[in-house]
Amino acid sequence: MLKELVLKCRTFRRFYESEAVSTKDLRELVDLARLTASTANSQALKFRLCSTPEENAKVFDTLSWAGALPDWGGPEKGERPSAYIIILCDLSLGKNKLYDDGIAAQTIMLGAVEKGYGGCILGNVRRSDLAEALSIDPSRYSIDLVLALGKPKEEVVLVPVKEDGDIRYYRDENQVHYVPKRALDDIII
């Protein structure tokens, strides 16, 4: 069952923007992250929830999407995320909690898939612009990751890495998104 959940937990970049993610669901997703491991049990991560059109627009304007698709500027209006969870580190509780960020982000994404949502973990964020837009004090919190969430509007297909070793994701003429994955025997040494 876990493997099925992991297989469904793909990176989605286009959503049915009009299908809301409830505050209740966002809180439940953060609660999953709250229960995960934390470096030295510092529990330094904090979370900012955004799900109103006004806040979502502010967040969206600070993000860069799909580096492997240079001709694509990100989701169009109507296909943008309907919610965001911003993962922050409370600097008074610790710094450089990158392992915690990854554990929390993946846990939230797995929970989102279980609820019928999809998402995208974004690290390419203009952090100072986002902090200013949402009145986040950068002397107190670092902005570590932004999780974009919503009802997926695209198909994502896993494919084997080609013989040339190219691992860049790509889209076909029907906008199906393909993600090359290395074979199990290629990653076990």
Side-chain angles (χ1 to χ4, degrees):
M1 187 156 165
L2 178 59
K3 187 170 184 176
E4 288 176 31
L5 193 60
V6 170
L7 286 169
K8 290 180 185 176
C9 190
R10 307 291 14 118
T11 297
F12 295 99
R13 293 176 179 85
R14 294 184 308 140
F15 305 89
Y16 292 99
E17 188 173 351
S18 62
E19 293 194 30
V21 177
S22 70
T23 300
K24 177 181 178 283
D25 282 348
L26 291 172
R27 291 179 58 86
E28 288 174 358
L29 293 172
V30 169
D31 196 39
L32 291 174
R34 178 185 68 85
L35 299 172
T36 63
S38 172
T39 304
N41 200 35
S42 64
Q43 301 173 59
L45 297 185
K46 305 291 176 154
F47 303 86
R48 176 69 153 73
L49 310 179
C50 298
S51 59
T52 66
E54 298 78 24
E55 281 191 324
N56 288 349
K58 290 177 183 180
V59 175
F60 183 84
D61 287 342
T62 68
L63 305 174
S64 294
W65 295 82
L69 303 173
D71 296 334
W72 188 66
E76 300 292 327
K77 288 187 182 211
E79 295 185 337
R80 294 178 178 171
S82 50
Y84 295 94
I85 297 175
I86 301 162
I87 300 179
L88 310 157
C89 182
D90 184 330
L91 300 173
S92 70
L93 299 175
K95 295 179 182 173
N96 301 321
K97 302 297 181 190
L98 298 179
Y99 299 114
D100 293 11
D101 291 334
I103 293 166
Q106 184 65 11
T107 300
I108 288 170
M109 289 301 172
L110 289 167
V113 168
E114 189 175 54
K115 291 179 174 294
Y117 303 119
C120 184
I121 301 171
L122 294 145
N124 195 350
V125 179
R126 291 188 308 283
R127 287 167 172 78
S128 59
D129 292 345
L130 181 57
E132 183 177 334
L134 296 180
S135 301
I136 295 170
D137 180 357
S139 68
R140 181 161 182 204
Y141 301 105
S142 65
I143 295 173
D144 295 347
L145 294 170
V146 175
L147 310 182
L149 298 164
K151 192 74 162 178
K153 189 180 181 177
E154 65 185 335
E155 180 182 0
V156 177
V157 178
L158 299 182
V159 295
V161 172
K162 295 177 184 171
E163 287 186 29
D164 66 4
D166 190 355
I167 57 166
R168 288 176 294 177
Y169 49 83
Y170 57 94
R171 292 198 174 149
D172 67 16
E173 63 280 351
N174 297 316
Q175 296 305 304
V176 174
H177 191 89
Y178 295 91
V179 181
K181 289 291 184 182
R182 299 183 199 284
L184 180 59
D185 288 338
D186 292 340
I187 65 169
I188 296 177
I189 59 170

